[in-house]
Amino acid sequence: MSTTATTDMLAKARIAVLGYGSQGRAHALNLKDSGLDVVIGLRPNGPTWSKAVADGFHVVEPAEAVRDADLVAVLTPDMVQPTLYKESIEPNIKAGAALLFAHGFNVHFKQIEPRSDIDVILVAPKGPGALVRSEYERGRGVPCVYAVHQDKTGHAEDKAKAYAAGIGGARAMLIKTDFKEETETDLFGEQAVLCGGASELVIKGFETLVEAGYQPEIAYYEVLHELKLIVDLFYEGGITRMLQFVSETAQYGDYVSGPRIVDSATKERMKGVLTDIQDGTFARNWIAEYKAGLPNYKKLKQADLDHPIEQVGAKLRARMPWLQAGAKAEQPQLKKVG
């Protein structure tokens, strides 16, 4: 673990940031505020072009941004990266430059096979773009993991650490990993716990209470709304802090009932999920689904949006004005992927 990295390695470099979504914008602004030379590469007339210009950046098409760059940061959705690489990066990136990713999916699963004459690195902040930006502005930073896949110049690791310093990660913590570990653990966390596991646990809890005759509104508050209180305690101080702030009754219920819900059989199924990630089954299925136009993805997503817990939740959230700042997130667009 390291917190001593500086931006010196990139002091005279031009950095091309491809993509200007949540992470792309945060990285670009932080790098610029760290005194580094940043150009943004975007599709002409894309939805974020004017936003990047308004933020004070020079914005050009991806191929042009790549051509003069010493480091190219690929911060677009996973599924568009292979085409972006083939069309704009591979023909234009200069020998000895660095190609940087924030997630190892395409390199690890060989959807992108980088040219042999460049450095290939990874820097992944452990937080959303908004937090990466706000922590930087406070003089702090979000911890980052970093990795080297290909070291052509002998300076690939130094470049990765300098980039992490530029976005504020070195102010907090840098953890060295590799593309395999970052990719597989990230996918597992999303599927088994953070997204898939958590959402299914909430839905099944809601259904259990409603089917037993309890009011849907009460069920919503008990299994979804109050989950934030527990997650915040986990986030602040782990299981120890959570146990400090819940009642003894809740603690006892945790000890005796938690293992009845998430038991050894659940763990075995988690291992199955991990195996599908490790052997490439999940990646192959997801890539095929994307290429087919996302028919199952759209159907499954719509089923979640149509579930009674969302219908009840929308009405209840409308009565909680402190949540309205995040109201736009209640209607996700099916076209957004990655």
Side-chain angles (χ1 to χ4, degrees):
M1 298 182 186
S2 171
T3 56
T4 59
T6 70
T7 61
D8 291 350
M9 174 59 65
L10 299 177
K12 298 180 180 180
R14 164 155 284 203
I15 300 173
V17 173
L18 307 185
Y20 206 70
S22 175
Q23 287 288 346
R25 182 172 188 265
H27 287 218
L29 288 170
N30 290 4
L31 292 166
K32 184 176 73 168
D33 289 349
S34 292
L36 300 177
D37 180 16
V38 180
V39 61
I40 307 298
L42 297 173
R43 289 182 291 108
N45 304 314
T48 54
W49 184 291
S50 59
K51 190 172 187 178
V53 170
D55 285 338
F57 287 105
H58 178 50
V59 186
V60 295
E61 295 187 35
E64 184 179 346
V66 169
R67 201 167 290 124
D68 297 323
D70 300 291
L71 185 150
V72 177
V74 184
L75 299 174
T76 57
D78 289 335
M79 291 298 102
V80 306
Q81 289 180 12
T83 299
L84 178 66
Y85 177 76
K86 281 294 182 185
E87 294 181 353
S88 299
I89 300 174
E90 187 175 44
N92 296 296
I93 191 169
K94 62 187 180 183
L99 181 61
L100 180 144
F101 297 88
H103 181 38
F105 184 97
N106 283 304
V107 172
H108 178 58
F109 291 117
K110 301 188 185 306
Q111 299 306 295
I112 293 175
E113 298 191 48
R115 277 180 13 202
S116 61
D117 61 347
I118 59 175
D119 294 335
V120 182
I121 57 181
L122 178 148
V123 174
K126 304 313 292 179
L131 186 67
V132 173
R133 181 58 180 162
S134 63
E135 284 298 284
Y136 182 96
E137 291 178 310
R138 293 185 177 100
R140 303 185 303 224
V142 172
C144 294
V145 300
Y146 72 95
V148 174
H149 175 74
Q150 189 167 283
D151 186 5
K152 175 63 179 177
T153 66
H155 299 293
E157 182 169 342
D158 291 334
K159 292 176 184 178
K161 292 166 75 173
Y163 183 95
I167 63 173
R171 297 172 176 175
M173 181 191 305
L174 304 182
I175 304 174
K176 188 173 183 178
T177 183
D178 56 45
F179 274 59
K180 178 180 187 295
E181 182 176 59
E182 187 279 331
T183 301
E184 293 177 355
T185 56
D186 185 81
L187 292 174
F188 177 80
E190 291 169 350
Q191 294 174 32
V193 181
L194 305 177
C195 301
S199 62
E200 284 302 313
L201 186 66
V202 165
I203 287 170
K204 295 302 186 290
F206 177 85
E207 292 174 348
T208 298
L209 287 175
V210 172
E211 290 166 9
Y214 298 103
Q215 295 180 69
E217 294 81 3
I218 300 296
Y220 177 89
Y221 277 119
E222 292 301 331
V223 304
L224 190 153
H225 182 79
E226 292 189 18
L227 183 62
K228 182 184 186 304
L229 306 177
I230 302 302
V231 171
D232 284 351
L233 292 171
F234 279 144
Y235 184 77
E236 293 165 6
I239 294 173
T240 299
R241 184 165 177 82
M242 184 273 288
L243 293 174
Q244 288 175 342
F245 283 85
V246 301
S247 69
E248 290 179 333
T249 304
Q251 289 182 43
Y252 181 69
D254 174 321
Y255 304 144
V256 300
S257 297
R260 294 175 63 188
I261 304 301
V262 182
D263 59 11
S264 58
T266 308
K267 186 176 179 180
E268 286 303 309
R269 291 191 293 273
M270 284 184 168
K271 290 179 179 179
V273 169
L274 182 57
T275 296
D276 284 351
I277 292 168
Q278 292 172 325
D279 67 16
T281 298
F282 170 78
R284 288 191 295 272
N285 290 344
W286 173 222
I287 292 164
E289 174 71 15
Y290 187 85
K291 289 180 178 179
L294 302 171
N296 296 307
Y297 168 95
K298 291 177 181 178
K299 181 175 66 175
L300 293 168
K301 186 168 188 175
Q302 195 60 49
D304 269 2
L305 297 177
D306 292 340
H307 191 280
I309 197 171
E310 281 303 287
Q311 313 312 311
V312 171
K315 295 177 182 177
L316 295 178
R317 291 191 294 272
R319 299 297 186 93
M320 293 181 273
W322 59 91
L323 299 179
Q324 297 312 304
K328 291 181 180 179
E330 290 185 11
Q331 300 296 331
Q333 299 298 311
L334 292 177
K335 292 181 181 179
K336 291 185 179 179
V337 180

